[in-house]
Amino acid sequence: MIKPLEAPKRFLFGPGPSPVHPRVYEAMRQPIVGHLDPYFFQVSEEIRGWLKMCFGTKNEFTMVVSGTGSAGMECAVTNFVEPGAKVAIFANGYFSDRLAEMARRHGAEIVRFEKPWGETYTDSEAAALIAAEKPRVAAFVHAETSTGAHQPGHAICKAAHDVGALVIADCVTSLGGMPVEVDEAGIDIAYSGTQKALGCPPGLAPITCSPRALEWLRRRKAPSVSWYLDLKLLLEYYQSGHRYHHTAPISMFYALREALAVIAEEGLEACWARHKRNHEKFVAGLQEMGIEMLVAEGHRLWTLSTPRVPEGINELNARQRLMAEHGIEIAGGFGPLAGKVFRIGTMGYGSSENNIELLLGALKDVLKAEGYSGQAA
Ligand SMILES: *Cc1c(COP(=O)(O)O)cnc(C)c1O
């Protein structure tokens, strides 16, 4: 006899996947229906409605693509970046680099604006950079998970629209946990993933496109090089003809439906407020321990915090001890931030007052065991 699978229970406080609500697990064990079954499209319609709410948009063109957040990113790029198009990247972390790499592979001419990891662009910087380069597409990361920095999109979008450019925004770590404001900011294409602030397992990528973006897409002559992520084909499956394109991962749709129902029941604004409150409580606790934050106040994500690793502490040892002694998973910095910061996610179902206390207590223990004796200055 082979024993049935039995996965360990971890406390997931890394940059994703985040803890999953019991209701979502429950939904995932429901019987699947066919991918052309009316019940499936009913679930898909519920998802679309709640995603519009989370994105802050009226965009009719709001749906999910099969795959993780990176599939959402690649979907945005493959549909809206044509070979030879000038694409401006607001670089300030790892995920803007990934966007740039995808656009490069699609034959774009890349213009990179550079900021140190952990910093963001001011409105006037964003406007001046766009006005100088006049790109066809501008892309930025709304919630940069490699640094913990929040880049608002309003000024980028306004400047981009002034030069006729489309704007792509990566909202993977903000959707559900912070305001995204697609319509108010004027974002043309926003995508996300399910396993961060939505509190669902990884597997689907929500995406929304403005009427402007859609108009551009309709006029686009050559089809996107990706067949699987071709939004025109996906649109026929999900929204108009329900014509077979690929077999949707049914159980993931159930999961996302339930995760969004949980958010809708709490109320989206209450959900944001919970993320903010718990994030602030966490930061206050860290500061009491004498630990500083990488990102300046007012520019921090409510979903993921990046405290600096205290002087004399080995970041990897501390994380390993946290896992071994407390079963808690957090992440370290990488790239220019390797060894310098922790990346600690408190998002979705994981963002609770209890969890903040658990995290602070465990961090205190671990850092002390690693030789940290610091306290608030
Ligand atoms: C996690 C993440 C992605 C990629 O999502 P995957 O689900 O890992 O493919 C993209 N952008 C940001 C900002 C992320 O945090």
Side-chain angles (χ1 to χ4, degrees):
M1 271 287 280
I2 298 174
K3 272 200 332 189
L5 180 137
E6 206 177 316
K9 290 197 173 70
R10 309 274 193 234
F11 294 107
L12 296 175
F13 298 122
S18 63
V20 171
H21 196 287
R23 236 178 106 164
V24 174
Y25 281 133
E26 207 44 49
M28 292 181 83
R29 44 193 294 278
Q30 301 272 325
I32 64 167
V33 297
H35 63 286
L36 298 175
D37 192 302
Y39 183 74
F40 172 73
F41 289 107
Q42 188 185 316
V43 169
S44 155
E45 282 307 299
E46 283 184 304
I47 289 174
R48 295 198 322 112
W50 282 323
L51 282 179
K52 286 188 203 170
M53 168 187 82
C54 293
F55 273 121
T57 186
K58 293 199 170 63
N59 289 342
E60 222 5 75
F61 196 89
T62 303
M63 62 182 187
V64 294
V65 299
S66 302
T68 63
S70 303
M73 185 187 287
E74 198 132 23
C75 182
V77 170
T78 198
N79 283 281
F80 295 98
V81 173
E82 284 182 307
K86 191 193 249 194
V87 175
I89 303 283
F90 284 86
N92 63 349
Y94 173 77
F95 288 103
S96 43
D97 287 350
R98 185 179 289 186
L99 264 167
E101 173 60 12
M102 284 185 186
R104 190 188 64 76
R105 290 186 183 200
H106 280 80
E109 177 201 337
I110 308 292
V111 189
R112 285 176 64 96
F113 307 140
E114 302 283 350
K115 276 270 178 182
W117 284 32
E119 293 184 19
T120 52
Y121 294 82
T122 65
D123 289 0
S124 53
E125 282 168 350
L129 290 167
I130 297 244
E133 288 292 346
K134 299 186 178 48
R136 186 132 20 116
V137 176
F140 74 99
V141 179
H142 183 248
E144 182 45 84
T145 322
S146 63
T147 68
H150 169 226
Q151 174 67 56
H154 299 64
I156 292 175
C157 293
K158 186 177 178 309
H161 294 171
D162 285 348
V163 300
L166 291 172
V167 178
I168 297 175
D170 179 319
C171 304
V172 175
T173 302
S174 44
L175 192 74
M178 304 177 61
V180 171
E181 299 178 330
V182 162
D183 287 358
E184 201 191 301
I187 295 166
D188 293 295
I189 302 107
Y191 59 85
S192 188
T194 45
Q195 79 277 23
K196 313 247 170 140
L198 295 176
C200 195
L204 290 175
I207 188 164
T208 188
C209 303
S210 70
R212 254 177 107 243
L214 209 51
E215 192 46 46
W216 185 90
L217 191 64
R218 291 217 163 94
R219 281 201 314 264
R220 177 177 175 163
K221 290 203 181 71
S224 116
V225 297
S226 169
W227 178 88
Y228 194 70
L229 297 172
D230 184 334
L231 281 172
K232 286 182 182 169
L233 298 179
L234 288 171
L235 193 64
E236 285 190 19
Y237 173 48
Y238 286 109
Q239 284 179 229
S240 46
H242 290 181
R243 211 170 36 204
Y244 168 70
H245 175 262
H246 69 283
T247 310
I250 315 291
S251 303
M252 275 311 303
F253 275 70
Y254 292 172
L256 180 56
R257 186 272 178 200
E258 210 62 8
L260 291 167
V262 167
I263 292 176
E265 213 168 75
E266 179 180 11
L268 183 60
E269 295 197 358
C271 183
W272 293 338
R274 170 169 57 83
H275 280 82
K276 180 169 193 275
R277 190 171 63 240
N278 289 325
H279 161 73
E280 284 169 354
K281 183 180 165 78
F282 186 45
V283 171
L286 289 167
Q287 284 171 342
E288 241 167 64
M289 290 162 63
I291 295 174
E292 288 167 19
M293 303 301 291
L294 171 75
V295 178
E297 197 176 348
H299 301 274
R300 296 175 190 149
L301 300 178
W302 302 341
T303 47
L304 179 116
S305 307
T306 43
R308 291 184 188 272
V309 176
E311 198 78 31
I313 295 294
N314 179 301
E315 173 265 327
L316 183 60
N317 291 351
R319 277 195 293 129
Q320 284 174 343
R321 188 187 285 271
L322 202 58
M323 178 54 95
E325 295 177 5
H326 298 269
I328 291 178
E329 177 184 291
I330 64 168
F334 58 100
L337 298 177
K340 294 183 181 156
V341 298
F342 296 115
R343 294 186 302 134
I344 305 178
T346 48
M347 46 186 148
Y349 184 51
S351 169
S352 71
E353 205 172 328
N354 276 350
N355 281 349
I356 299 299
E357 274 156 23
L358 177 79
L359 262 174
L360 285 170
L363 276 171
K364 209 174 272 182
D365 275 3
V366 161
L367 292 178
K368 190 166 170 226
E370 290 290 318
Y372 179 62
S373 58
Q375 48 194 283

